Amino acid sequence: MSSVPPEPTKAEIDQLRSAALQKVDSEGLVFDPQDVNRIRNDDKYIRRFLMHHDNDQKLALEMVMETLKWRYENQCNTITVESIPPEFFAKGAMYAHNRDKDGCKMLIFAVRHHQKGVLDMDLLKKFFIYWLERLEREENGEWITVFFDMCDTGMKNMDMEFIQYMITLFKNYYPWFLNYIIVFEMPWLLSAMWKIIRTWLPPKSIEKIKFVDKKSIQDFVDLDQCLASWGGTDNYEYQFEPEFIPGDEPISNGDLESRKVHFAEGSALPPLSPLKGKLQGQRVAATNGGVMIEIEPSEGLMFSNCRIGATANIVLTNPTASPVAFKIKTTSPEKYRVRPSVGILEAGIQLEISVTVSEQLAPSALVRDKFLVMGAPASSSNLSSQEISQLFKNIAKEELFETRLRVGVSAADAASDALTTSALKSSSVSPELLSKIDQLLHRQSAVEEQLRTAKKFVFITLIVMIGILIFVVMATNNMTSSLLLYTTNRRSASTMQGETIHNEQENNVEL
């Protein structure tokens, strides 16, 4: 993302909430009570609107009101599995599975299983809303990654209208929700289409699109999270998995406050407090309750500026009676020096970890970064770095805890890199242009098919010509051999006849 503001303060969040509720009350508009209640009580949700619009109160308020209106019109809180035809889930064209390297859940769109015009577009849009609403609940509003699996995709699978709708929802109605759009193994024939899709994103969001293949996918998704067809080790076969909360009870579609965050699953961050000044510390435990580390700051790592040598600290405390191993990773190791990045916390010990910016960067180059703090029980306080790394590879999931810290930059430094709000205005593409682009792509596909046919014809012709040439050479050799044999025989016969005549003449002379 090209420019992102610092975290909004509590006062800024309250200001936006107050303005939104005032509009709801004064204008007499009808909205879903669950959505209004979320605006009234959920600081994290309000924060997302501000982050989405660079802390611009006016634009954020407009988005809040448009979102409330859109959600009411589409009855988002009432969309359930039962309200969508079963064939949408049976096809396996869209499903949530595994996570990217940032720990964000991936919504996978297997494009080869989707065919343009076969499914009703209104139901298809409803199906996509279902997945976004479900992931909102399951991930507690944290970022998700949309993964376009383009393997074996042709023109009949690409649906520009649906993809534009997907982008529109992320841009206008699901604020601060998209981590990456990963496009895997895109056929070169469809590259023109993605150039159009890029225009639908705000300029600062274009870098969210990542084109990968089997070699480069590891930059964004670990191999154990990659399907076997992507070159990974996950042999997952699609089957629809209903949505459940612990205890196997289905969740209602608006119940966001009842979600629990389990750091061992790496699924979400705790509710955020403003990234201003000294952040509130937090205790984080493994799912079995056996490991606990106090982390300060608990939610975000704030740098005062982005210059070389700028430093922020992470303080880890072990309040238990046993040693705990820790390891710290970052999404951009080339930007930071972390000292120490691995080690052992003995019982009751507090350790300050220094994180230093290693190169001159703009604020926008830092604010998308995250740090992952991992902890696990250690058998000894004398483990080496290699032994600690091996420990984290072999540790059982229930004994591991993970928490993520977002990088933040002070408001003064970030302001110098802010874009104008006009950069956020969406690019629109007329239906006529989309139709012409679709026709162009179809013609390009037809030319490609003709080219493939011509290549096959040339290949077959070449094989036939080679066969004919071999036949001619062999026939010529046979004819040459026969001619030589015939000539040789004729010469032998002539020689024998000459000798006979000569002998007869000699006999006549003697007589």
Side-chain angles (χ1 to χ4, degrees):
M1 194 173 289
S2 59
S3 179
V4 180
E7 290 284 339
T9 63
K10 175 65 174 173
E12 290 170 331
I13 291 174
D14 289 341
Q15 179 183 346
L16 178 57
R17 172 186 288 113
S18 177
L21 293 176
Q22 184 177 358
K23 269 186 168 293
V24 169
D25 294 336
S26 63
E27 297 184 6
L29 300 175
V30 179
F31 302 116
D32 191 310
Q34 290 184 353
D35 294 330
V36 175
N37 186 60
R38 190 177 182 189
I39 294 295
R40 182 174 286 110
N41 299 312
D42 193 342
D43 281 5
K44 185 177 179 181
Y45 189 50
I46 295 292
R47 163 195 170 271
R48 288 167 55 186
F49 288 96
L50 289 167
M51 295 294 289
H52 195 81
H53 285 292
D54 294 343
N55 282 335
D56 187 305
Q57 289 281 341
K58 181 179 179 182
L59 292 177
L61 178 59
E62 290 177 359
M63 186 178 186
V64 169
M65 301 310 297
E66 287 299 318
T67 299
L68 289 173
K69 179 181 178 181
W70 175 83
R71 291 183 62 84
Y72 179 75
E73 291 174 348
N74 289 272
Q75 294 294 296
C76 294
N77 290 320
T78 65
I79 296 176
T80 62
V81 174
E82 292 74 17
S83 63
I84 298 171
E87 56 265 27
F88 282 80
F89 297 100
K91 290 173 68 70
M94 183 173 290
Y95 57 94
H97 184 66
N98 285 350
R99 299 182 182 276
D100 64 15
K101 277 197 169 182
D102 293 336
C104 301
K105 194 75 173 183
M106 292 190 295
L107 180 60
I108 300 170
F109 184 17
V111 184
R112 63 184 176 276
H113 295 313
H114 171 76
Q115 190 167 341
K116 180 180 178 181
V118 173
L119 298 174
D120 179 80
M121 179 56 68
D122 290 336
L123 288 175
L124 187 60
K125 292 177 178 179
K126 190 175 184 179
F127 178 61
F128 184 59
I129 295 174
Y130 162 80
W131 276 111
L132 293 186
E133 291 294 299
R134 173 170 170 171
L135 290 172
E136 276 269 11
R137 296 186 295 272
E138 292 180 339
E139 301 302 306
N140 198 29
E142 294 299 323
W143 282 343
I144 66 170
T145 286
V146 178
F147 191 103
F148 282 83
D149 185 350
M150 303 289 289
C151 291
D152 303 322
T153 297
M155 283 300 305
K156 66 179 182 180
N157 306 116
M158 292 304 297
D159 192 337
M160 293 285 278
E161 180 183 356
F162 181 52
I163 294 176
Q164 186 178 31
Y165 181 77
M166 294 171 65
I167 297 296
T168 299
L169 261 57
F170 281 111
K171 189 167 62 175
N172 297 337
Y173 308 119
Y174 288 87
W176 205 244
F177 195 40
L178 183 64
N179 188 32
Y180 288 122
I181 295 175
I182 298 178
V183 184
F184 177 72
E185 296 283 7
M186 183 188 71
W188 69 268
L189 182 64
L190 304 177
S191 58
M193 181 176 294
W194 281 98
K195 291 181 180 179
I196 297 299
I197 293 173
R198 287 165 66 94
T199 67
W200 297 337
L201 288 168
K204 68 176 184 177
S205 299
I206 291 177
E207 66 182 50
K208 287 175 176 283
I209 302 180
K210 305 296 180 181
F211 297 93
V212 300
D213 53 24
K214 288 186 178 180
K215 293 182 179 179
S216 59
I217 192 174
Q218 297 181 55
D219 295 338
F220 302 97
V221 186
D222 290 325
L223 284 181
D224 62 343
Q225 299 292 300
C226 288
L227 300 182
S229 60
W230 306 345
T233 59
D234 185 2
N235 295 315
Y236 173 80
E237 294 184 4
Y238 170 76
Q239 60 177 7
F240 177 70
E241 299 176 2
E243 181 184 6
F244 291 100
I245 59 172
D248 291 337
E249 297 177 2
I251 29 181
S252 59
N253 201 1
D255 190 8
L256 290 159
E257 297 179 359
S258 63
R259 296 296 299 160
K260 296 182 179 179
V261 180
H262 299 279
F263 284 88
E265 297 176 359
S267 60
L269 296 174
L272 293 177
S273 61
L275 291 178
K276 296 285 186 181
K278 186 176 180 181
L279 293 177
Q280 181 181 1
Q282 182 187 27
R283 285 190 167 192
V284 185
T287 54
N288 66 358
V291 180
M292 184 177 290
I293 291 181
E294 293 179 353
I295 301 175
E296 187 180 309
S298 63
E299 301 159 8
L301 192 61
M302 176 64 70
F303 289 89
S304 60
N305 61 73
C306 298
R307 301 174 183 84
I308 297 176
T311 300
N313 295 321
I314 303 173
V315 179
L316 303 181
T317 304
N318 178 10
T320 70
S322 303
V324 175
F326 70 88
K327 184 175 183 179
I328 299 178
K329 301 168 67 176
T330 176
T331 54
S332 302
E334 71 281 0
K335 298 179 186 177
Y336 307 96
R337 294 193 305 272
V338 182
R339 298 290 184 274
S341 59
V342 296
I344 297 291
L345 277 176
E346 295 186 9
I349 294 298
Q350 184 178 86
L351 176 66
E352 186 173 276
I353 296 170
S354 174
V355 181
T356 304
V357 178
S358 60
E359 55 184 289
Q360 184 71 37
L361 297 166
S364 59
L366 297 184
V367 292
R368 273 184 57 83
D369 294 338
K370 302 187 190 76
F371 282 83
L372 174 67
V373 182
M374 300 186 295
S379 58
S380 169
S381 58
N382 298 318
L383 298 179
S384 65
S385 297
Q386 292 79 7
E387 290 172 329
I388 294 174
S389 297
Q390 192 63 35
L391 169 66
F392 282 104
K393 290 181 180 179
N394 299 331
I395 192 70
K397 186 174 182 179
E398 60 270 11
E399 295 183 340
L400 175 71
F401 89 81
E402 296 179 346
T403 190
R404 290 167 175 78
L405 305 178
R406 286 202 184 98
V407 174
V409 183
S410 68
D413 207 56
S416 63
D417 192 54
L419 294 178
T420 60
T421 56
S422 62
L424 292 173
K425 297 297 184 181
S426 61
S427 303
S428 60
V429 181
S430 67
E432 292 79 7
L433 179 57
L434 289 178
S435 177
K436 291 180 179 179
I437 292 170
D438 200 38
Q439 292 174 11
L440 178 61
L441 292 174
H442 276 289
R443 291 174 184 173
Q444 186 179 6
S445 179
V447 171
E448 174 67 11
E449 183 62 30
Q450 292 173 2
L451 180 60
R452 284 196 294 267
T453 303
K455 287 181 178 179
K456 291 179 182 178
F457 177 76
V458 171
F459 179 74
I460 294 173
T461 302
L462 182 61
I463 294 298
V464 172
M465 290 181 65
I466 292 174
I468 293 174
L469 181 61
I470 293 174
F471 174 77
V472 170
V473 170
M474 293 180 64
T476 302
N477 289 337
N478 291 336
M479 291 177 64
T480 301
S481 299
S482 300
L483 182 59
L484 289 174
L485 181 60
Y486 174 76
T487 303
T488 301
N489 291 338
R490 288 293 301 272
R491 287 178 178 175
S492 298
S494 298
T495 301
M496 291 178 65
Q497 185 178 5
E499 290 178 351
T500 302
I501 295 172
H502 178 71
N503 290 336
E504 289 179 352
Q505 289 177 350
E506 286 182 347
N507 291 334
N508 290 335
V509 170
E510 291 178 355
L511 291 175

